[in-house]
Amino acid sequence: MQINGKAFRTIWFDEKDQAVKIIDQTKLPHKFEVKNLNTVKDAINAIKTMEVRGAPLIGATAAYGIVLAIMENNDPKFIKTNCENLIKSRPTAINLKWAVNRMLKKLSGVNNNEVLKIALEEAKLICEEDVKFCENIGLNGLKIIEEIYNKKKDIVNILTHCNAGWLATIDWGTATSPIYHAHRKGVKVHVWVDETRPRNQGAFLTSYELNEEGVPNTIIADNTGGILMQRGEVDICIVGTDRTIATGDVANKIGTYLKALAAKDNNVPFYVALPSSTIDWETTDLKNIPIEERNSEELSHAEGLDENNELKRIRIYPQKSKAMNLAFDVTPAKYVTGLITEKGVCEASADGLKKLFK
Amino acid sequence: MQINGKAFRTIWFDEKDQAVKIIDQTKLPHKFEVKNLNTVKDAINAIKTMEVRGAPLIGATAAYGIVLAIMENNDPKFIKTNCENLIKSRPTAINLKWAVNRMLKKLSGVNNNEVLKIALEEAKLICEEDVKFCENIGLNGLKIIEEIYNKKKDIVNILTHCNAGWLATIDWGTATSPIYHAHRKGVKVHVWVDETRPRNQGAFLTSYELNEEGVPNTIIADNTGGILMQRGEVDICIVGTDRTIATGDVANKIGTYLKALAAKDNNVPFYVALPSSTIDWETTDLKNIPIEERNSEELSHAEGLDENNELKRIRIYPQKSKAMNLAFDVTPAKYVTGLITEKGVCEASADGLKKLFK
């Protein structure tokens, strides 16, 4: 998608530099910077510090991380340790495990002089597939938006939480893909963007990328979605997910559950958009989804531009206060109207998922 | 209550200075400053800019505003205009109208050389009554906390939103009064403090005042309450209100409704603490509660201390983004377990309120 009128992806392999390039998302929205990942450690660090984030993108980064590991030291022990480190780099997103396992399966039995070439091809394929999946999620979600538009004959107001935009994937995004498709087709949309505390990915990334694509949007405090739904100012919610389990329960950015409750209370359809790589087929109890707890300074401190346009970090909380920072919550399937996947839209349930994917 | 070990109230009349003194709450938590209000314009400005905030406190400030108006110019036209301006200074809190009407009623027919004395006495009485009301709210709410403590035999986890603390009243607070009473009685409590975007009154004021009184508390993003309730880590929610209407529907800081939904979904009792001055007996449809929309810079900008402990203001949002800032939402009575008032605890319903107050 576009940044300053130029098409980008979030991650790619640069043949000339023999390095993986990423957009450093910790610098957005104030600075647009492309960064090189030269080692698997760089890749792990990029995932941990959220230079890359979003379930599909960290999956792709893990795949490229294995490529970088092979370039460094093609010793099976080294590869194995780093695969484990990649999987552990963030606990909630299932795509990490999915991507690492897919790479390992592809590379198993491949002889040494081919392994780098095949690993690189597979990492690129993971990216291409994700782009295609996200495009199809967009086309499937577009139908839902068009249906609302045809009934309402007026701007469709869509609420989204966090960033499940193209910056969370390779291109198109998951939750944003139906929105971009609608916008390009001339279906009038307006997006309520949840700020998404504490890291503000809604404000910093979703609003930023919607602006760059010219999609009308308004940032709101995470507290605001409820009254907007009560007032009929939200026609549909679409969010992403870091892990959807076999029962259709949805782990996503902290606060998603509260919006799903408000949607239910006000009869607003609540959809979750995801590629099948985000489905955790093995987990059947939402209590078994690990929920990452992050540094409380993400809450107590803020970063932004001062009056001289210089990036400053400030402490906003009282000095004596402590804070607690859970990164995800789980929305029970009963509050999810449907799952928008690359294969079609299904009910958020074991049956719904099985019918579509088995 | 205490600040740095010294007892304070949020507003008082200083005989020596012949001025009203307030704690400037826009400076908290980074600076503790007492400020003089010398004119009714100062009082209106203090309410508008939220140097004073919280339904009971802005009611008291309006009462003192009338005193200041009389001191300036005891002309009925001047008083009348300023009473109207005081009522309009913030649209959602009902206490403004309540306090102004009470003052006007008291002053009606009083002769000119007595009017200042009587106005001052009435403003002081409003404050004293509020302190007494808040103390009784505390004693009534204490019983509910004790009941949980006696069952659980372990720390009672209380979630609160925004600041309905002593800083929102004259002393004790509304939602915090049961907490302070429990703490002083040795009932073990821990408070989950919703940060309360966009103005962070939870982090800036509630956590601050709980710290100063030695009550254990942890700040969380507004998004976090849902998963904490799912996990059983919240035993009770207690919030304040800016206006509770005759049906028991509760207008309070934006985001309250979302917490009430989560409480309902997880069988967590959800209480609203209020003095009777916050009840709007005339309004019977929640749609008729005016909801204040504030400047969007409260969202897009943040203030805090830089590495040199200097107060800095930064822009956190992307330059091209717009934001929308609704200050309140309405929680339907059906999601409220009970109203904790100075007269006792009642059902959040027309019947419940009538039985207790009529």
Side-chain angles (χ1 to χ4, degrees), chain B residues 1-285:
Chain B
M1 308 295 276
Q2 308 265 321
I3 288 178
N4 292 322
K6 203 183 148 190
F8 274 94
R9 286 188 171 183
T10 52
I11 192 166
W12 66 96
F13 189 79
D14 187 293
E15 297 290 343
K16 212 181 89 191
D17 287 9
Q18 288 288 299
V20 176
K21 302 229 170 196
I22 58 162
I23 297 169
D24 181 353
Q25 301 196 22
T26 60
K27 298 285 195 326
L28 292 175
H30 305 302
K31 263 190 187 172
F32 176 76
E33 258 181 43
V34 171
K35 186 174 175 171
N36 279 13
L37 307 181
N38 297 305
T39 63
V40 61
K41 219 173 172 179
D42 287 351
I44 292 167
N45 192 50
I47 297 169
K48 275 192 180 164
T49 62
M50 296 176 67
E51 288 169 355
V52 290
R53 18 71 50 210
L57 175 55
I58 65 180
T61 308
Y64 275 124
I66 294 171
V67 173
L68 292 170
I70 294 167
M71 284 166 67
E72 277 173 82
N73 178 357
N74 191 8
D75 170 55
K77 248 197 192 160
F78 179 76
I79 307 291
K80 187 165 174 274
T81 308
N82 278 298
C83 283
E84 283 162 11
N85 290 341
L86 280 163
I87 289 174
K88 279 189 296 190
S89 57
R90 291 199 65 197
T92 303
I94 195 71
N95 297 56
L96 279 174
K97 203 174 153 188
W98 171 86
V100 168
N101 287 344
R102 174 166 161 172
M103 291 292 286
L104 290 180
K105 201 174 156 193
K106 186 76 189 177
L107 297 175
S108 126
V110 170
N111 68 40
N112 255 354
N113 52 3
E114 280 220 309
V115 69
L116 177 60
K117 183 176 152 276
I118 288 177
L120 186 55
E121 278 171 9
E122 191 66 7
K124 285 181 182 173
L125 189 63
I126 284 175
C127 290
E128 290 308 321
E129 277 181 17
D130 189 71
V131 174
K132 192 71 198 154
F133 281 11
C134 285
E135 197 184 344
N136 286 335
I137 288 168
L139 293 168
N140 292 328
L142 170 62
K143 292 175 206 155
I144 300 168
I145 295 174
E146 281 185 313
E147 214 168 282
I148 296 168
Y149 184 69
N150 291 337
K151 257 192 216 157
K152 194 184 175 192
K153 315 253 181 247
D154 200 359
I155 299 171
V156 179
N157 286 303
I158 302 163
L159 185 141
T160 192
H161 190 70
C162 197
N163 176 261
W166 75 268
L167 290 167
T169 63
I170 315 304
D171 211 347
W172 288 110
T174 54
T176 55
S177 187
I179 297 169
Y180 288 132
H181 278 86
H183 180 66
R184 291 194 178 182
K185 217 183 153 182
V187 178
K188 279 185 189 143
V189 291
H190 165 261
V191 185
W192 294 113
V193 179
D194 272 358
E195 176 183 56
T196 318
R197 288 281 295 155
R199 285 184 69 101
N200 301 330
Q201 294 99 328
F204 290 5
L205 304 176
T206 304
S207 180
Y208 173 84
E209 61 164 271
L210 291 172
N211 292 342
E212 296 297 315
E213 284 284 327
V215 178
N217 71 92
T218 308
I219 306 172
I220 49 175
D222 300 311
N223 288 322
T224 313
I227 190 171
L228 290 179
M229 293 191 219
Q230 285 176 317
R231 287 179 168 186
E233 293 181 43
V234 179
D235 297 304
I236 181 174
C237 302
I238 313 179
V239 301
T241 169
D242 296 79
R243 180 188 300 222
T244 288
I245 63 172
T247 52
D249 301 310
V250 172
N252 191 41
K253 181 59 51 192
I254 191 87
T256 303
Y257 166 54
L258 296 172
K259 291 305 136 60
L261 288 173
K264 188 77 173 180
D265 198 41
N266 295 285
N267 296 313
V268 173
F270 188 93
Y271 283 94
V272 179
L274 70 161
S276 53
S277 54
T278 306
I279 303 167
D280 175 0
W281 293 104
E282 286 162 31
T283 301
T284 52
D285 185 344

Side-chain angles (χ1 to χ4, degrees), chain A residues 19 60 78 105 157 165 229 255 258 328 341:
Chain A
F78 180 77
K105 199 173 157 194
N157 286 304
M229 292 191 220
L258 296 172
F328 301 94
T341 78

Side-chain angles (χ1 to χ4, degrees), chain A residues 195 197 204 207 211-212 219 223 230 257 265-266 305 315-317 320-322 324 330 335, chain B residues 195 197 204 207 211-212 219 222-223 230 257 265-266 305 315-317 320-322 324 330 335:
Chain A
E195 177 183 54
R197 287 282 294 157
F204 290 5
S207 179
N211 292 342
E212 296 297 316
I219 305 172
N223 288 322
Q230 285 176 318
Y257 166 54
D265 198 43
N266 295 285
L305 298 179
R315 180 168 57 75
I316 53 171
Y317 281 7
K320 296 180 196 167
S321 293
K322 62 173 187 163
M324 200 269 287
V330 182
Y335 298 122
Chain B
E195 176 183 56
R197 288 281 295 155
F204 290 5
S207 180
N211 292 342
E212 296 297 315
I219 306 172
D222 300 311
N223 288 322
Q230 285 176 317
Y257 166 54
D265 198 41
N266 295 285
L305 298 178
R315 180 167 59 73
I316 53 171
Y317 280 7
K320 296 180 196 169
S321 292
K322 63 173 188 165
M324 199 268 288
V330 183
Y335 298 122

Side-chain angles (χ1 to χ4, degrees), chain A residues 14-239:
Chain A
D14 187 291
E15 298 290 343
K16 213 181 92 194
D17 286 9
Q18 286 290 297
V20 175
K21 303 228 169 194
I22 58 163
I23 298 168
D24 180 355
Q25 300 195 21
T26 59
K27 298 285 194 326
L28 293 174
H30 305 301
K31 263 189 186 171
F32 176 77
E33 257 179 44
V34 171
K35 187 174 173 169
N36 278 15
L37 307 180
N38 296 304
T39 64
V40 62
K41 220 173 170 179
D42 287 351
I44 291 167
N45 192 52
I47 296 168
K48 275 192 179 164
T49 62
M50 297 176 67
E51 287 169 356
V52 291
R53 18 68 54 207
L57 175 54
I58 64 179
T61 308
Y64 275 124
I66 295 172
V67 173
L68 292 170
I70 294 167
M71 284 165 67
E72 276 173 84
N73 179 359
N74 191 7
D75 168 55
K77 250 193 189 162
F78 180 77
I79 306 292
K80 188 166 171 272
T81 309
N82 278 297
C83 283
E84 283 161 11
N85 290 341
L86 280 163
I87 289 174
K88 279 188 296 191
S89 58
R90 290 199 67 197
T92 303
I94 194 71
N95 297 57
L96 278 174
K97 202 174 155 188
W98 170 87
V100 169
N101 287 343
R102 174 165 161 172
M103 290 293 285
L104 290 180
K105 199 173 157 194
K106 187 73 189 182
L107 297 175
S108 125
V110 170
N111 67 42
N112 255 352
N113 52 3
E114 279 220 312
V115 70
L116 177 61
K117 182 176 153 275
I118 288 178
L120 186 56
E121 278 171 11
E122 191 66 8
K124 285 182 182 172
L125 188 63
I126 285 175
C127 290
E128 289 309 320
E129 276 181 20
D130 189 72
V131 174
K132 192 69 200 159
F133 280 9
C134 285
E135 197 184 343
N136 286 335
I137 288 168
L139 293 168
N140 292 327
L142 170 63
K143 291 175 207 155
I144 300 167
I145 295 175
E146 281 184 313
E147 213 168 283
I148 296 169
Y149 185 71
N150 291 337
K151 258 191 214 157
K152 193 184 176 190
K153 315 249 180 250
D154 200 0
I155 299 172
V156 178
N157 286 304
I158 302 162
L159 184 140
T160 192
H161 190 70
C162 196
N163 176 261
W166 75 267
L167 290 168
T169 63
I170 315 304
D171 212 348
W172 287 111
T174 54
T176 55
S177 186
I179 297 169
Y180 288 131
H181 278 88
H183 181 67
R184 290 193 180 181
K185 216 182 154 180
V187 178
K188 278 183 190 147
V189 290
H190 164 261
V191 185
W192 295 113
V193 178
D194 273 358
E195 177 183 54
T196 319
R197 287 282 294 157
R199 285 185 69 102
N200 301 329
Q201 294 98 328
F204 290 5
L205 303 176
T206 304
S207 179
Y208 173 84
E209 62 163 272
L210 291 171
N211 292 342
E212 296 297 316
E213 284 284 327
V215 179
N217 71 92
T218 308
I219 305 172
I220 49 175
D222 300 310
N223 288 322
T224 313
I227 191 171
L228 291 179
M229 292 191 220
Q230 285 176 318
R231 287 179 168 186
E233 292 180 45
V234 179
D235 297 303
I236 180 174
C237 302
I238 314 178
V239 300

Side-chain angles (χ1 to χ4, degrees), chain B residues 334-345:
Chain B
K334 64 179 168 181
Y335 298 122
V336 178
T337 309
L339 303 173
I340 308 173
T341 77
E342 75 274 12
K343 281 214 172 178
V345 179

